[in-house]
Amino acid sequence: MDINIDLSRLQIPEIVVMAIAGLLLLFMGYRIKKVGFFIIWFLIGFNLMGILMPAINSVAPEAVRTSDLWQNLLPIAGGLLLAMLGFTIEKICVGGIVFGLTLMITSQYFGTDIQTLVIGAIIGVVLAGVAVMLMKPAIIVASSLMGGYVLTLTILTLFKDINAATYYFPLLIGISAVGIITQFMTTKRIS
């Protein structure tokens, strides 16, 4: 399986900001629920817009396709749009986060064929339903997974000598597990 890590459009300061957001989600996702939801939805929107940019560029006017300003602003706008949505309603937000993460994983690792996306969407709906029934654990796991995902991408982008095909999943699983354990241990008395 080819691991496609593409944060090349970002500069080092932007990658560092992503890493900080990832650390906040990883270790404090449940404690900062509202801010965490905003960050998660922003990152989902930003990532999905990055995936959709080729399709958008194919129908966009030439001024948009050739402008670095528009190419950088559209993913940020997509992130902000989803962040504002996710900030408002907790249960829909948790379900949406799990659904969004499922579709991100599906599109990145299994492709964007319509059949693949439909299967990913069905799995995402089921997982979102389970997540809404188990709010606290779902918030902890989802925020840790998103934080682990962001940190894994930033590590592999900043340290190009690390072989992504070999270390992507061990990094993702290890970082996410540390976040999940830390959050469960530090939020025992918080409901």
Side-chain angles (χ1 to χ4, degrees), residues 11 30 42 60 86 118 123 131 143-144 152 186:
Q11 302 296 321
Y30 188 75
F42 177 82
V118 168
I123 293 169
S143 64
S144 294
T152 299
T186 61

Side-chain angles (χ1 to χ4, degrees), residues 21 34 39 50 66 70-71 76 78 96 98 102 130 133 136 145 149 152 171 190:
K34 293 287 187 182
I39 294 169
T66 59
W70 281 108
Q71 295 300 305
I76 292 170
V98 172
T102 304
V130 171
M133 291 188 300
K136 182 179 179 179
L145 284 172
Y149 175 75
T152 299
L171 279 170
I190 299 173

Side-chain angles (χ1 to χ4, degrees), residues 36-93:
F37 288 162
F38 186 87
I39 294 169
I40 289 172
W41 277 104
F42 177 82
L43 293 171
I44 289 173
F46 186 84
N47 191 7
L48 289 176
M49 281 299 290
I51 292 169
L52 294 174
M53 283 306 288
I56 291 169
N57 284 335
S58 70
V59 296
E62 185 175 342
V64 172
R65 284 193 308 261
T66 59
S67 169
D68 285 342
L69 176 67
W70 281 108
Q71 295 300 305
N72 290 324
L73 281 181
L74 285 174
I76 292 170
L80 287 174
L81 183 64
L82 280 182
M84 297 307 281
L85 169 76
F87 189 68
T88 56
I89 305 169
E90 189 169 296
K91 286 186 179 183
I92 292 174
C93 184

Side-chain angles (χ1 to χ4, degrees), residues 12-32:
I12 297 293
E14 294 166 317
I15 294 171
V16 170
V17 168
M18 282 186 66
I20 291 168
L23 284 169
L24 282 173
L25 290 173
L26 184 68
F27 292 115
M28 298 183 67
Y30 188 75
R31 289 182 181 270
I32 59 168

